[in-house]
Amino acid sequence: MKAIAFTQHGLPIEDPNSLLDMDLPKPTPGPRDLLVEVKAISVNPVDTKIRAGSAATEPKVVGWDAVGVVRETGSDVTLFKAGDEVFYAGSIARPGSYSEFHLVDERIVGHKPKSLDNAHAAALPLTSITAWELLFDRLGVEEGGGEGDSLLIIGAGGGVGSILVQLARQLTKLTVIGTASRPETREWVESLGAHHVIDHSQPLVEQLNWIGVGQVSHVASLTHTDSYFTQLIEALKPQGQLALIDDPKSLDVVPMKRKALSLHWELMFTRSLYETPDMIAQHELLNRVADLIDQGVLKTTLGEHFGAINAENLRRAHAVIESGKAKGKIVLEGF
């Protein structure tokens, strides 16, 4: 099968050897696996981080978003059958989705939204799982709840932010404040339903006061948490909650004590990595997201379509992700 992989980690993305077109063996499904013929993928920051920092003793395929068609099922599969159209984000412990055929555990797979084509559906899985778990599992906001409370989303124009803004606005009563520093991302975040958009390159507390929100009850910090951390503590109400998804080198959490603030980590790979008893929750939430898309409650977060799935186009996509200037999701389609 065709695949895109790396054999030497840490190469700059401008190096043509940083991602390579390859021919690799087609995998065979285990008991709970689906063998999916991949039709479209999207690119996430984790793709670039693994390429940069994970040593490879053999060709390593990354990629953790896919849309495709089930071609084979393992002996214990009960949720899907051959021919089903699916979307999912996979497991970081297994080979990735930059390949014509891909194995994935059925418990972390959803039925593709019927109203979307492959490219638009590919933008959704990883970021939808991350945003859903962050909002409802980590921060503990209830659907239909949050009246009188507020959520500040740092980096609201990126992949996770683009779906989190929608989930918070459509499924809760929170006041949603997103941050964006460029005119095009500001417009994007407004179009997704944020009540307010402020500039994360300027002092946050002053802007929150200026728009009449004041201190917030919840913060979702999606990027550069270490840079904003002091401001976020100041922006939070006493007994507020901070959730983050990025990888700060270190955080001094002691200043959170005075306000009795709580800190929550979100990693959407945790359930699949440890095969937790509630691993099937990701199957259920992806099906729920698909229903919400088909009902018109949520919309895809596709930002740019980069063409066919090959090494050249993926190197270009990784470069944009690494620049920090992506708006929505970058999608590739077809081999």
Side-chain angles (χ1 to χ4, degrees):
M1 65 176 183
K2 293 179 180 178
I4 295 87
F6 68 90
T7 56
Q8 181 181 351
H9 77 284
L11 293 176
I13 197 58
E14 297 77 20
D15 190 318
N17 293 314
S18 59
L19 287 170
L20 299 165
D21 291 303
M22 293 188 173
D23 188 37
L24 297 177
K26 181 179 173 182
T28 301
R32 298 212 68 174
D33 287 342
L34 310 177
L35 178 68
V36 176
E37 182 181 358
V38 175
K39 300 295 187 180
I41 62 172
S42 71
V43 181
N44 294 283
V46 64
D47 303 16
T48 69
K49 293 173 184 175
I50 296 294
R51 192 203 83 246
S54 179
T57 56
E58 56 186 22
K60 190 175 183 69
V61 180
V62 295
W64 286 279
D65 258 332
V67 169
V69 178
V70 177
R71 294 305 182 200
E72 297 178 30
T73 59
S75 57
D76 296 340
V77 167
T78 60
L79 302 174
F80 298 92
K81 64 184 185 306
D84 285 347
E85 293 185 296
V86 295
F87 75 147
Y88 59 90
S91 166
I92 203 168
R94 305 184 72 170
S97 58
Y98 295 1
S99 57
E100 279 189 288
F101 294 92
H102 188 228
L103 293 181
V104 62
D105 190 299
E106 64 167 346
R107 290 170 289 178
I108 56 173
V109 177
H111 290 279
K112 181 181 87 70
K114 296 180 178 66
S115 58
L116 295 183
D117 60 23
N118 292 329
H120 285 83
L124 290 165
L126 186 146
T127 53
S128 294
I129 296 170
T130 301
W132 190 286
E133 291 183 349
L134 185 154
L135 182 61
F136 298 119
D137 296 344
R138 310 296 165 239
L139 290 177
V141 178
E142 295 184 1
E143 283 193 51
E147 188 167 9
D149 288 336
S150 47
L151 170 67
L152 173 64
I153 303 171
I154 304 297
V160 174
S162 294
I163 196 72
L164 180 57
V165 168
Q166 295 183 70
L167 289 174
R169 181 62 192 266
Q170 297 295 334
L171 299 185
T172 79
K173 295 179 181 177
L174 292 165
T175 297
V176 183
I177 308 106
T179 78
S181 60
R182 293 176 289 137
E184 59 268 32
T185 48
R186 183 185 187 92
E187 183 178 345
W188 171 257
V189 174
E190 289 174 344
S191 75
L192 295 171
H195 293 94
H196 307 280
V197 182
I198 63 176
D199 186 345
H200 48 237
S201 69
Q202 302 298 321
L204 298 176
V205 173
E206 290 179 17
Q207 294 177 85
L208 290 170
N209 289 332
W210 186 78
I211 63 175
V213 171
Q215 291 184 320
V216 298
S217 51
H218 303 80
V219 170
S221 184
L222 309 179
T223 184
H224 296 94
T225 297
D226 43 1
S227 299
Y228 299 113
F229 193 57
T230 301
Q231 293 189 73
L232 300 182
I233 292 173
E234 186 180 358
L236 276 162
K237 294 178 178 179
Q239 303 181 86
Q241 296 177 293
L242 168 63
L244 60 151
I245 67 170
D246 60 337
D247 301 291
K249 291 181 179 178
S250 64
L251 285 179
D252 177 9
V253 300
V254 173
M256 299 179 73
K257 180 179 179 180
R258 184 175 177 85
K259 285 186 173 179
L261 303 176
S262 58
L263 182 68
H264 307 263
W265 285 98
E266 163 55 22
L267 180 67
M268 58 79 52
F269 293 119
T270 295
R271 280 172 161 148
S272 57
L273 187 60
Y274 294 96
E275 296 197 12
T276 59
D278 65 347
M279 183 171 162
I280 201 169
Q282 293 191 346
H283 162 72
E284 294 163 350
L285 76 83
L286 282 174
N287 281 344
R288 180 77 193 288
V289 168
D291 288 342
L292 291 167
I293 290 284
D294 290 339
Q295 293 163 15
V297 177
L298 302 178
K299 63 181 180 180
T300 183
T301 55
L302 188 153
E304 294 183 87
H305 193 308
F306 270 35
I309 304 169
N310 59 44
E312 181 182 0
N313 287 340
L314 278 164
R315 287 194 297 268
R316 193 159 56 95
H318 278 228
V320 174
I321 295 291
E322 290 176 349
S323 76
K325 294 183 178 179
K327 181 187 76 174
K329 295 298 296 294
I330 297 172
V331 170
L332 298 89
E333 182 178 15
F335 287 89

